[in-house]
Amino acid sequence: MEEVLNFIMHAIESSKKLELELPNIINHLEILFSSIDEVEKSFGGAKERVMMLLSSQHDITKTTLSNSFASMMSHDVFMNKTQHAQIDRLLDLMQNPFDMSHVLLENKMISGGDIPMLRSKGTLKIGEMVGRNVEGLEKSKGLEGEMQGIQTPPSRPKKSRKIDLEKRTVMVPAPQVGNTDMPPEDGFTWRKYGQKEILGRKYPRSYYRCTHQKLYLCPAKKQVQRVDENPNIVEVTYRGDHICHKSLTAPLSYPPPQQLLVNINNTQTTISPQLSPSSNSRWPQAANLGLRAGDASGSGGPSTTRYGIDYPVADMADTMFNSGSSSGNSMESLFAPMDDKWELDENKS
DNA sequence: CAAATTTGACCTTC
DNA sequence: GAAGGTCAAATTTG
């Protein structure tokens, strides 16, 4: 419990720090990123500990947890107006490749030649919560279809798209280099099972399901689609919750998440319903999107998607309550780089 | 050879 | 019947 408190206190501290420094780092995206990252990690650590405690105590459902966070989010705890403005700016940058290069230059200047958050693969990462389409809300038609475990003979088993799986859509930047069609990373391993041209959409939609779908009957799925207006952003729609443990699907050691974490609530009106208890209760655990850029192995062949963990502030709700993330050990790897970042930040301030 | 991706066909919904 | 979602055989890759 003490550990939880430590994490929370650290998160709060980091938040305050961020708030104070905001005017100074408004143009320093890398610092801004690090700061957000710090806050997120701390809350993530707290969440993890709480989850561990809960699982030992049993029976407090994820729904409850999600609701709690939904409530927090609805009060905009983590996103004040200034932060929203920052995100708007980042989005603008994302929408213009030229501006992106400007960002790079900008970071270079700031960091004296090194661009920790942009130099590797992830580049900028903006999670935009565009909607939680509670598709299943009125679909009390009952659970039909694939999760029932009813075996139907040879000719294709009956399946239904109307399974009571909620959808959650997030917008994340597409990889800028390499195979830009790769789906965002989110800590789980996915297997592509289809791709389809969608009417009115410029780019095809890819369908992924949890690699362990068969082994663990894990119902988690996701769709990845590039945004027409801005190919630099992909729309990821999650359906179903992972029931397989993350450790089964992702490596135990996570690469330092050097990506940008931004949560964008388009509009308050959009968000509120999305945060309804019912819609939260079954969010995919993997709400934390990442990017795997620079991987040119996108087409064909076994390329088990090894997703590093990263937690966009974008979806801190999920980050805190839904991602079955790292082990105790991993926290070290999470915080180690952060210390460096803060050193950097503190030097600036 | 196992595991992942590709892709055309099939299924379900509207 | 059209469109979206899924299956599964074929293909690719390590």
Side-chain angles (χ1 to χ4, degrees):
Chain A
M1 205 54 200
E2 193 178 341
E3 228 176 348
V4 175
L5 285 174
N6 284 339
F7 274 120
I8 293 175
M9 292 313 293
H10 188 259
I12 293 171
E13 214 171 286
S14 304
S15 300
K16 286 178 182 170
K17 217 170 185 177
L18 172 62
E19 187 178 17
L20 286 173
E21 292 177 351
L22 210 45
N24 297 328
I25 64 177
I26 184 169
N27 290 321
H28 300 183
L29 294 180
E30 126 203 14
I31 300 173
L32 181 63
F33 171 71
S34 298
S35 303
I36 297 170
D37 200 34
E38 174 80 358
V39 174
E40 170 205 322
K41 292 297 181 310
S42 303
F43 275 124
K47 171 212 167 183
E48 187 171 90
R49 296 301 186 279
V50 171
M51 291 291 274
M52 285 165 61
L53 290 172
L54 283 176
S55 62
S56 62
Q57 286 179 5
H58 79 278
D59 250 19
I60 295 187
T61 66
K62 208 158 73 173
T63 303
T64 309
L65 292 171
S66 296
N67 291 349
S68 306
F69 193 77
S71 158
M72 285 158 58
M73 288 300 286
S74 66
H75 288 94
D76 220 2
V77 169
F78 299 101
M79 296 280 291
N80 59 32
K81 284 182 181 175
T82 315
Q83 287 169 315
H84 277 292
Q86 293 298 297
I87 288 157
D88 285 342
R89 180 165 182 271
L90 291 169
L91 257 191
D92 288 342
L93 291 169
M94 282 300 299
Q95 287 171 357
N96 188 331
F98 181 79
D99 281 350
M100 281 305 296
S101 62
H102 175 67
V103 172
L104 286 166
L105 288 172
E106 192 174 76
N107 278 292
K108 219 164 196 140
M109 287 156 56
I110 293 168
S111 58
D114 201 7
I115 311 174
M117 80 168 182
L118 294 174
R119 71 184 159 202
S120 60
K121 37 188 185 180
T123 70
L124 283 176
K125 183 182 310 173
I126 298 178
E128 179 181 6
M129 189 190 306
V130 291
R132 289 189 162 78
N133 311 321
V134 191
E135 189 187 55
L137 267 188
E138 95 301 339
K139 299 193 172 112
S140 46
K141 300 174 183 176
L143 290 175
E144 36 180 347
E146 54 195 27
M147 294 314 296
Q148 295 304 305
I150 298 172
Q151 304 293 330
T152 41
S155 67
R156 265 194 189 162
K158 283 221 168 180
K159 61 188 177 196
S160 173
R161 268 184 292 158
K162 291 290 178 180
I163 326 164
D164 193 10
L165 294 180
E166 290 158 17
K167 297 201 291 188
R168 195 178 69 84
T169 304
V170 296
M171 307 290 268
V172 300
Q176 301 294 305
V177 293
N179 179 9
T180 56
D181 286 331
M182 286 309 298
E185 298 179 3
D186 50 22
F188 290 95
T189 52
W190 300 93
R191 177 179 216 160
K192 188 175 185 176
Y193 66 89
Q195 177 171 311
K196 198 164 181 62
E197 297 288 338
I198 300 302
L199 196 75
R201 305 298 294 264
K202 211 151 60 171
Y203 305 95
R205 177 177 301 166
S206 298
Y207 299 89
Y208 296 84
R209 63 183 168 220
C210 178
T211 301
H212 304 288
Q213 185 196 46
K214 287 184 178 167
L215 212 59
Y216 302 100
L217 296 178
C218 181
K221 290 179 181 171
K222 74 173 178 182
Q223 302 173 358
V224 177
Q225 171 140 37
R226 198 166 287 266
V227 173
D228 292 344
E229 302 76 37
N230 186 355
N232 293 324
I233 295 180
V234 293
E235 185 183 311
V236 184
T237 302
Y238 289 93
R239 290 173 65 187
D241 222 348
H242 281 277
I243 60 174
C244 57
H245 193 276
K246 199 165 199 163
S247 61
L248 294 171
T249 59
L252 283 176
S253 64
Y254 308 116
Q258 304 269 15
Q259 295 102 337
L260 176 63
L261 326 156
V262 181
N263 186 11
I264 296 155
N265 299 341
N266 263 0
T267 62
Q268 292 294 331
T269 50
T270 307
I271 289 306
S272 298
Q274 292 166 352
L275 291 171
S276 71
S278 60
S279 67
N280 270 295
S281 59
R282 302 179 58 181
W283 283 6
Q285 294 182 9
N288 314 306
L289 305 177
L291 287 178
R292 184 178 66 160
D295 184 343
S297 67
S299 62
S303 61
T304 303
T305 325
R306 309 222 179 277
Y307 297 138
I309 299 298
D310 63 70
Y311 307 87
V313 168
D315 232 336
M316 207 172 297
D318 289 320
T319 297
M320 292 181 66
F321 297 117
N322 286 332
S323 81
S325 65
S326 46
S327 63
N329 287 341
S330 71
M331 291 311 296
E332 289 177 12
S333 63
L334 287 176
F335 278 96
M338 291 312 304
D339 291 338
D340 294 337
K341 288 180 191 172
W342 273 114
E343 278 179 25
L344 180 84
D345 291 355
E346 283 165 357
N347 288 340
K348 302 263 173 220
S349 57

